[in-house]
Amino acid sequence: MFDSTCKFLAESFSSDFASWLIGEPIPLTELSPSELSLEPIRADALILLASEEYILHVEFQTEPDPNMPYRMADYRLRVYRRFPQKQMKQVVIYLTPSQSYYVYQTAFEIPGTRHEFDVIRLWEQPTQLFLESTGLLPLAVLTNSPDQAQTLRQVAVRIDAVPEMRVQSNVAASTGILAGLTLDRDVINQVLRKEIMQQSVIYQEWKEEFLQEGRQEEGQSLILRQLTRRIGGVTPQLRSQIQSLSLDQIESLGEALLDFTESADLVNWLQEHQAS
């Protein structure tokens, strides 16, 4: 959820992020990882934005990642292969405080090779900078603030001043999600207007995602009850495999189990559908 929120912000307010990270309000457009010829290492966290001269590569992290230096070096080479003439800025942004060695790593090193990248630890950043750009407002509560609840109230005032309702609702929803990393939900609900957040595109997407997860859990529970009636108890191993199925696979299993008479039928079905 936090990765997708940050990705949404960077892509929706690319000029704000360019001003912050590059130092110029350069218009940037999304660059698909597929344009780099190879599959991304971790597509859900990958943000690539491009202009005529720059490639901006941003990774947001809630936890330290020992593989981050390698990922930075790998993507730098991929981008150079595809766009050798473009400058590239790479930034890892850590969202939550940590004393781990990994959040201080700024280079990938092996014998004969060294690649450097930038690291930003939000909890060390001055809050005021993030209160001055609409696209950065949701990050403000994670910065070096002595009173995060008060910072959230400052953010809410600025959100209310955004003239375009769609932008206002998207920024409010993003703020509510990211504030959850550091503040209680009750505090967030008291400060941010829920009716504004509910109008946002990302709120609707998350709502649908949660509903999908709910349907999947409900389907798993129903399948397990039906299997118990038809073939007796389900072993923990088989239960684990069933819980790993997608919603479509659960629906298919619901139809297939009508013909099951013993556990072997379930085992065979799971093998055929490559459940693990």
Side-chain angles (χ1 to χ4, degrees):
M1 180 185 299
F2 302 116
D3 282 339
S4 59
T5 301
C6 292
K7 190 171 185 177
F8 172 83
L9 289 170
E11 292 171 355
S12 301
F13 302 95
S14 63
S15 292
D16 289 345
F17 277 78
S19 295
W20 173 33
L21 301 174
I22 298 176
E24 301 177 53
I26 303 170
L28 298 168
T29 57
E30 183 181 1
L31 174 66
S32 170
S34 64
E35 293 190 51
L36 304 183
S37 301
L38 299 172
E39 288 299 314
I41 299 172
R42 187 175 165 219
D44 62 327
L46 178 66
I47 301 170
L48 291 171
L49 301 171
S51 70
E52 290 296 321
E53 298 180 1
Y54 280 94
I55 301 287
L56 176 60
H57 171 199
V58 184
E59 299 257 1
F60 287 92
Q61 292 289 128
T62 54
E63 300 290 338
D65 185 348
N67 295 319
M68 188 59 70
Y70 169 73
R71 185 150 72 241
M72 293 290 107
D74 181 71
Y75 271 107
R76 181 64 186 99
L77 292 174
R78 295 188 193 199
V79 169
Y80 181 78
R81 184 185 299 118
R82 178 68 177 82
F83 304 102
Q85 77 285 1
K86 292 192 177 187
Q87 300 180 59
M88 187 172 186
K89 178 80 168 183
Q90 292 180 286
V91 187
V92 183
I93 300 173
Y94 287 99
L95 302 176
T96 52
S98 172
Q99 294 300 316
S100 170
Y101 161 77
Y102 298 121
V103 304
Y104 294 90
Q105 281 187 299
T106 59
F108 171 76
E109 292 185 86
I110 55 176
T113 300
R114 177 181 172 87
H115 173 66
E116 298 181 352
F117 53 92
D118 291 338
V119 168
I120 293 176
R121 294 173 290 277
L122 272 185
W123 60 94
E124 298 176 354
Q125 300 300 302
T127 302
Q128 187 58 39
L129 169 67
F130 296 83
L131 296 174
E132 295 171 354
S133 298
T134 301
L136 302 183
L137 285 173
L139 300 175
V141 74
L142 304 178
T143 59
N144 185 15
S145 168
D147 187 339
Q148 293 167 327
Q150 176 60 26
T151 297
L152 183 61
R153 286 189 283 271
Q154 291 178 282
V155 170
V157 170
R158 285 163 171 78
I159 290 174
D160 285 343
V162 174
E164 187 178 348
M165 182 58 68
R166 180 183 61 84
V167 175
Q168 184 183 109
S169 61
N170 285 338
V171 173
S174 299
T175 299
I177 292 295
L178 294 178
L181 286 167
T182 187
L183 290 172
D184 291 336
R185 179 54 53 186
D186 288 344
V187 174
I188 297 170
N189 290 337
Q190 288 171 10
V191 176
L192 297 175
R193 290 190 289 157
K194 189 173 182 180
E195 70 273 12
I196 295 295
M197 292 190 286
Q198 289 176 337
Q199 297 175 33
S200 73
V201 173
I202 49 178
Y203 181 93
Q204 296 302 325
E205 289 179 354
W206 292 326
K207 181 178 179 181
E208 178 59 31
E209 181 179 329
F210 294 146
L211 288 174
Q212 185 84 353
E213 291 177 358
R215 289 196 295 268
Q216 190 161 335
E217 291 178 2
E218 184 179 340
Q220 290 170 357
S221 178
L222 177 61
I223 289 295
L224 289 169
R225 290 198 302 271
Q226 291 176 332
L227 285 169
T228 298
R229 286 198 294 267
R230 294 198 67 84
I231 63 175
V234 177
T235 67
Q237 181 180 2
L238 292 175
R239 179 184 293 268
S240 177
Q241 292 184 49
I242 292 170
Q243 290 172 339
S244 72
L245 297 175
S246 68
L247 186 58
D248 288 342
Q249 289 174 317
I250 289 172
E251 292 175 353
S252 296
L253 177 56
E255 297 178 3
L257 67 80
L258 297 176
D259 297 321
F260 291 177
T261 58
E262 57 184 0
S263 294
D265 296 325
L266 173 60
V267 171
N268 292 335
W269 188 94
L270 291 170
Q271 290 176 342
E272 291 173 4
H273 290 78
Q274 300 181 332
S276 59

